[in-house]
Amino acid sequence: MIYDDVASWEDAAQVSEPLLKLYARRPAEWLEPPRQWVLPAALPWTRVLAQAMNVRVLLTGIRVWTESFTVDVEVFARQAPPRTPDWLAPFGKEAPRQAGAGGLRVEAWFADGRRAVRRGSRPWLNRRPEDEKPPDGPVLLAGRGEGGPFHYRQSAHIWPLPPSGPVVLAIAWRDQGITSARADLSGLEIRAAAERAVEIWPGLPEAPNGLPGTAQKGRDD
C-alpha cells in the first residue's frame, strides 16, 4: 500500500453511494465517440496536410470506432500571431467568428459525393430529443483541443464510416495564406479498421430507464 490510512481500494469504493454504472446502450456516434465502450483501432497515418510560411498542419493519426472515425490534427507555428491564445480557432470551435474570417477550416468528402458537415463542438452538452435521430448526411464534430501559440492539437470526429473509395480531407486557412489543400485517405482501410475496434464491455445490461450512457444505481441493484 502507498498510504497506510487507506485500507484498500475496495473499502474506499464502499464509502460512496449511489454507484455510477455503465449500461449497454451508448450515445449515438454522430453525437460523440464511444470512448467508454469501445477501444478504437488505430491507423498510424502521418502526413503534412497543409503548409505556409509560418505554419504546418499535420495529420498525426486516425482512430476508428465501430460506426465512425476520429481524425487527429496538430498545428505547428514558428511565429505567434498577435492574437493569442485563440488565434488558431481550430475548425471554428473556440472562436467561430475567426473561422468565418479566415481561420483554420477542415472538411471531409466521401467518395459518393457526400460532405461531412460540422454540426457543433460538443452537442451532447445540450442534447435535444431530435439529436437521437440519425442526421441526413455525414457529420463532423470538433473535439476538445489543447496547446498554445506554437503547437496545437485538435481532433475532428466524423460519422458515419465512409464508403470504400477515397476520403478527401480539405484544408483552408486564408489568414495563413492556405486557400486550398487536400489529402486523400483510404475509405476501404478505414472500414477494415472498424472491424478491429474492440468492445470493452460486451454483455452490459440495459439501463432501467431506457436511456443511453450511465445511470446512478444503489449498491444492491
Side-chain angles (χ1 to χ4, degrees), residues 1 5 8 29 34 38 61 63 70 85 99 117 121 180 183-184 220-221:
M1 298 293 295
D5 57 339
S8 67
E29 291 193 32
V38 176
R63 291 166 285 155
T70 301
V117 178
S121 298
S180 179
D184 292 341
D220 296 328
D221 292 344

Side-chain angles (χ1 to χ4, degrees), residues 46-221:
T46 58
R47 64 192 68 178
V48 176
L49 297 177
Q51 58 185 342
M53 179 179 294
N54 292 315
V55 296
R56 300 288 188 271
V57 182
L58 276 69
L59 171 68
T60 56
I62 293 181
R63 291 166 285 155
V64 185
W65 314 86
T66 52
E67 301 175 8
S68 58
F69 62 105
T70 301
V71 177
D72 294 320
V73 173
E74 298 192 27
V75 177
F76 295 83
R78 65 177 181 178
Q79 177 177 308
R83 293 178 296 185
T84 57
D86 63 345
W87 67 281
L88 290 174
F91 309 144
K93 169 180 174 294
E94 302 295 345
R97 59 180 178 82
Q98 296 224 18
L104 175 63
R105 301 185 68 86
V106 176
E107 295 181 343
W109 292 82
F110 291 174
D112 56 10
R114 292 179 298 162
R115 178 171 65 97
V117 178
R118 185 175 176 275
R119 189 174 172 175
S121 298
R122 292 187 295 276
W124 55 92
L125 295 179
N126 188 23
R127 188 168 298 161
R128 302 163 299 177
E130 55 266 32
D131 291 329
E132 298 297 330
K133 300 177 181 178
D136 294 334
V139 170
L140 185 151
L141 302 173
R144 185 186 302 274
E146 60 177 1
F150 299 104
H151 179 218
Y152 202 95
R153 298 184 183 92
Q154 179 74 45
S155 65
H157 182 68
I158 300 171
W159 175 92
L161 294 172
S164 297
V167 177
V168 176
L169 289 183
I171 311 292
W173 197 352
R174 294 197 306 274
D175 287 349
Q176 296 297 323
I178 302 172
T179 57
S180 179
R182 57 176 283 169
D184 292 341
L185 310 176
S186 170
L188 181 62
E189 291 186 56
I190 293 174
R191 295 185 67 86
E195 299 296 326
R196 302 194 298 271
V198 177
E199 293 279 351
I200 300 172
W201 303 110
L204 282 174
E206 293 293 334
N209 56 9
L211 297 176
T214 59
Q216 287 189 336
K217 298 291 291 178
R219 187 169 55 235
D220 296 328
D221 292 344

